Amino acid sequence: MPKRDPQKGGFTDVEMGPLIGSPTTQTHERKKRVGDDSSESEPLIVGKTSLADIGKEEPPAGSSKYAKQSTGGSGGKALMSCAMYCFCSVSMVLVNKSLASSYNHLIARDLNVLLVVLQAVVAVIAVEFCKKMKWVDYPSFNMYTARQWAPVNVLFCAMLFTGMASLQYNNVPMVTVFKNITNILVAAGDKYFFGTSVEYLVMVAFGLMLLGAVAAARNDIHVTTAGLFWMCANCVSTAGYILYMKFATKNVQLSKFGMVFYNNLLCIVFLFPVAFFDGEFNLFMVTGAIRTSDYFFKNFFAGFVGFFLNFASLNCVQQTGPSTYAIVGSLNKIPIAILGWFLFKSEITPQTWFFIGVSMAGGFLYSYAKIKASKKKMVS
């Protein structure tokens, strides 16, 4: 297996939260090239011809093989790949919102840490099963690699926990628009730490994102200090994870599904003791009202879909190309916001909806600006 470019730091789907090793994902180089503003968790490997080839080779960007596979899919396959990617990303957010907030009346406190652990267990089982079936390939567990990867995983755990907490205290549309702020923090960190330039149109997009998110929060009648804290904490921890991963991958070479494996395995190691000693595990065991088939199914579904999103992202890029993938990543915020509002009966004023739309427009402009910059760079 060829070595990955150490400058390609994988990063998460800032929008989904759980369990894709990393995030809901793309390599840092591809994000700069395409401008995807959905942060899905893991470096996305493009140009594979089958599931069995994932993680075994990575053709150089711009190669004829990549171009052919990115544009060669039929219309039906392209539409299906986009629909599958949207289904996975949208359903992950909605199911985690249900888990984080719909059972509070049955228990004395939240179980956010334990929820992350349960879904991590599902993701580890899923990726190991795929490895046994030879659908994916990554090296077996190595303690030295685990120790090197542990600092990255601390930020990964923080990202997942704060993401679950932000869904508990805020409605889905607000969480969706605040995720855009992560892109601003990542761009600022990229410029400060790695000297990456920021185009003028991208800065305009950032202004719209920030203005819309702040104005929406000011007009949200249900926003709380705790809700704002957890949303901001999630943006900071996600940006930190993305930026630190770019640095860490200079020393630790892991494929996409290697990151899935280590991120979720170490997540269990780090967070299960927290859930146990903090009383979440004991509360879960003594509260029969939440140990239902519905509760277990939602956890299994969220963990599995978080893992399967890797395949859905890969297939979407193969069938449609990275530009379409970036646009779909922006557009799927619309059904997330609308379904989140409808299913959880959130009370949102017309003014708040307007500013949510402003922030989303900034996200669309961001995708357009990055795609435009990518095409300009390829021409030059």
Side-chain angles (χ1 to χ4, degrees), residues 50-228:
S50 69
L51 293 181
D53 294 328
I54 295 175
K56 294 183 179 178
E57 67 171 313
E58 183 172 359
S63 69
S64 58
K65 179 180 178 182
Y66 174 79
K68 180 179 179 181
Q69 291 185 345
S70 294
T71 60
S74 67
K77 288 183 178 180
L79 184 62
M80 182 62 68
S81 69
C82 291
M84 183 61 68
Y85 167 60
C86 286
F87 171 78
C88 290
S89 60
V90 171
S91 60
M92 268 187 62
V93 176
L94 298 179
V95 171
N96 278 315
K97 170 63 177 175
S98 177
L99 287 168
S101 62
S102 298
Y103 296 88
N104 291 346
H105 65 288
L106 300 176
I107 51 179
R109 51 167 297 180
D110 64 77
L111 301 177
N112 291 334
V113 175
L114 186 62
L115 288 174
V116 173
V117 172
L118 291 174
Q119 293 179 28
V121 170
V122 175
V124 170
I125 294 173
V127 73
E128 280 289 280
F129 176 78
C130 289
K131 182 181 179 181
K132 295 293 183 185
M133 298 298 293
K134 301 188 184 304
W135 295 338
V136 304
D137 186 37
Y138 57 88
S140 299
F141 177 80
N142 179 278
M143 183 59 72
Y144 177 73
T145 302
R147 286 198 300 265
Q148 285 189 306
W149 196 250
V152 180
N153 191 256
V154 171
L155 288 168
F156 178 76
C157 293
M159 178 189 70
L160 296 187
F161 170 73
T162 56
M164 197 71 74
S166 65
L167 284 170
Q168 177 187 351
Y169 288 99
N170 300 282
N171 60 57
V172 173
M174 285 299 301
V175 172
T176 302
V177 298
F178 256 83
K179 290 290 185 183
N180 285 331
I181 294 179
T182 302
N183 293 313
I184 302 175
L185 297 178
V186 171
D190 251 341
K191 183 172 180 60
Y192 181 80
F193 292 110
F194 305 108
T196 305
S197 61
V198 180
E199 297 86 358
Y200 173 75
L201 196 57
V202 170
M203 295 180 66
V204 174
F206 285 163
L208 286 175
M209 290 179 191
L210 186 60
L211 174 65
V214 172
R218 285 179 58 86
N219 284 273
D220 190 335
I221 59 178
H222 295 295
V223 71
T224 63
T225 302
L228 285 173

Side-chain angles (χ1 to χ4, degrees), residues 212 215-221 348-358:
R218 285 179 58 86
N219 284 273
D220 190 335
I221 59 178
I348 301 178
T349 65
Q351 293 89 345
T352 301
W353 272 121
F354 172 77
F355 290 117
I356 287 173
V358 170

Side-chain angles (χ1 to χ4, degrees), residues 95 292-302:
V95 171
T292 62
S293 57
D294 172 73
Y295 192 81
F296 282 109
F297 173 77
K298 287 180 181 178
N299 272 286
F300 172 81
F301 181 85

